[in-house]
Amino acid sequence: MRIDRRGFLGGFLGGLGAAAGIGGASLAGTVTRLKEVEVTTLSDGNLVLPGDMVFDGLPEEPLAAILARHDVARDEVHPPCNLTLMRDGIRSVLFDAGSGPAFMPSAGRLETALEAAGLGPGDITHVVFTHGHPDHLWGVLDDFDDLLFANADYLFGQVEWDYWRDPATVDRIGASRVAFAVGAPRRMDAIAERCSFFTDGQEILPGVMAHAAFGHTPGHMAFEIRSGGEALMVVGDAIGNGHVAFEQPDWPSGSDQDADRGAQTRRRLLDQLATDRIAMIGFHLPGGGLGRVERMGDAYRFTEE
């Protein structure tokens, strides 16, 4: 399959109606401590997406009621992008790399957020990826296509890495995501020599356990950070918003590549987080993404911290 990369990227971004300066959380981080570990959320800005990308096919009347309760528009959504920074006195670990300059004008603000946290890109020792979508991966390259985190080691789930590296992915992923499949391998080429790989249940760094959270992408991962008996879960896009995902977790999401598996993963994570009372950080959740899950019958509620 022959691909004009510029044409695909331009058409994709134009279709999303990306616009600079729309929405987005404050770049200032929300800080929490787990005994010897400090965890900070950093804003990379926000996305601008058509509502159908998330809500298409859902029952409109109950959907409208949920969106009204959360003051969310049906036709266009502006999900924030919250990266997670973990510092333990030795390592400065970034979970995901943000969008970088090439994806969407309203995103790609990570360097400014790092400065607010007292760091530069060269201070990052490790970058850990939840998955390979543009707003999580493309930020590894700067404006000059050089590695932004020049001193970092990179950690990627093996299943996810293999999926985006497979030449057949571009033909199977669907027209709306072709740009994702074109852009991912180029970034992966840039980090390949410094990248190591992990699987479900593996301690990838001291106090950081990887958990399979497949569905949003074929190899999406979540990460449990533990220190001194306290825990926090970095869930990436496995729980994709603070409204429908909590009130109707079994509804399929158009943003998930495998909607059925994504719903199963979402329900499992929400149940675990509520039962075990573990704090969480969601990449697209409000208020910097840090909060807790409360059970409400068969549904859930996100409470910001």
Side-chain angles (χ1 to χ4, degrees), residues 18 126 220 244 270:
H126 301 80
H220 187 288
V244 174
L270 287 168

Side-chain angles (χ1 to χ4, degrees), residues 83-295:
L83 282 79
T84 300
L85 171 68
M86 184 192 84
R87 288 180 278 191
D88 62 6
I90 300 173
R91 288 164 285 269
S92 294
V93 181
L94 194 62
F95 292 83
D96 292 321
S99 295
F103 183 51
M104 197 172 286
S106 55
R109 303 176 184 176
L110 177 59
E111 284 191 75
T112 303
L114 280 172
E115 289 177 9
L119 296 176
D123 295 317
I124 300 301
T125 62
H126 301 80
V127 182
V128 180
F129 295 94
T130 60
H131 63 297
H133 278 169
D135 50 330
H136 299 256
L137 170 63
W138 287 17
V140 297
L141 297 181
D142 64 15
D143 292 317
F144 303 98
D145 275 355
D146 293 325
L147 279 179
L148 179 61
F149 309 106
N151 300 320
D153 293 323
Y154 298 85
L155 296 91
F156 227 110
Q158 186 71 66
V159 174
E160 185 76 356
W161 179 272
D162 291 345
Y163 173 74
W164 293 108
R165 299 292 296 178
D166 184 351
T169 293
V170 71
D171 295 313
R172 298 172 180 169
I173 198 170
S176 65
R177 292 187 171 95
V178 165
F180 297 5
V182 174
R186 188 164 72 87
R187 277 80 182 178
M188 290 172 162
D189 285 344
I191 65 174
E193 291 186 358
R194 305 187 64 165
C195 198
S196 58
F197 307 99
F198 56 85
T199 56
D200 179 35
Q202 186 175 341
E203 185 178 41
I204 61 171
L205 292 168
V208 181
M209 182 74 71
H211 294 280
F214 301 167
H216 182 69
T217 60
H220 187 288
M221 303 298 293
F223 302 97
E224 184 177 353
I225 301 172
R226 284 196 172 270
S227 177
E230 298 180 347
L232 180 150
M233 187 79 77
V234 179
V235 303
D237 286 5
I239 303 172
N241 59 62
H243 36 83
V244 174
F246 286 82
E247 294 198 31
Q248 292 289 348
D250 299 322
W251 283 1
S253 172
S255 65
D256 291 340
Q257 291 182 217
D258 184 334
D260 291 339
R261 194 169 193 182
Q264 294 169 8
T265 294
R266 186 162 50 250
R267 171 68 76 171
R268 173 177 56 80
L269 282 174
L270 287 168
D271 182 68
Q272 177 186 357
L273 292 165
T275 299
D276 296 343
R277 301 186 62 80
I278 299 174
M280 65 174 290
I281 296 175
F283 195 87
H284 294 303
L285 298 188
L290 176 65
R292 293 185 183 271
V293 179
E294 297 180 9
R295 186 179 281 106

Side-chain angles (χ1 to χ4, degrees), residues 31-79:
V31 181
T32 188
R33 291 202 65 89
L34 305 175
K35 298 299 183 181
E36 302 303 319
V37 173
E38 181 180 275
V39 180
T40 306
T41 64
L42 304 173
S43 175
D44 192 43
N46 67 279
L47 305 183
V48 181
L49 305 175
D52 280 347
M53 185 173 180
V54 181
F55 306 132
D56 188 38
L58 300 183
E60 290 293 339
E61 189 171 335
L63 172 64
I66 293 173
L67 298 183
R69 282 196 291 273
H70 294 271
D71 194 26
V72 174
R74 170 64 177 83
D75 59 339
E76 186 175 87
V77 292
H78 303 158

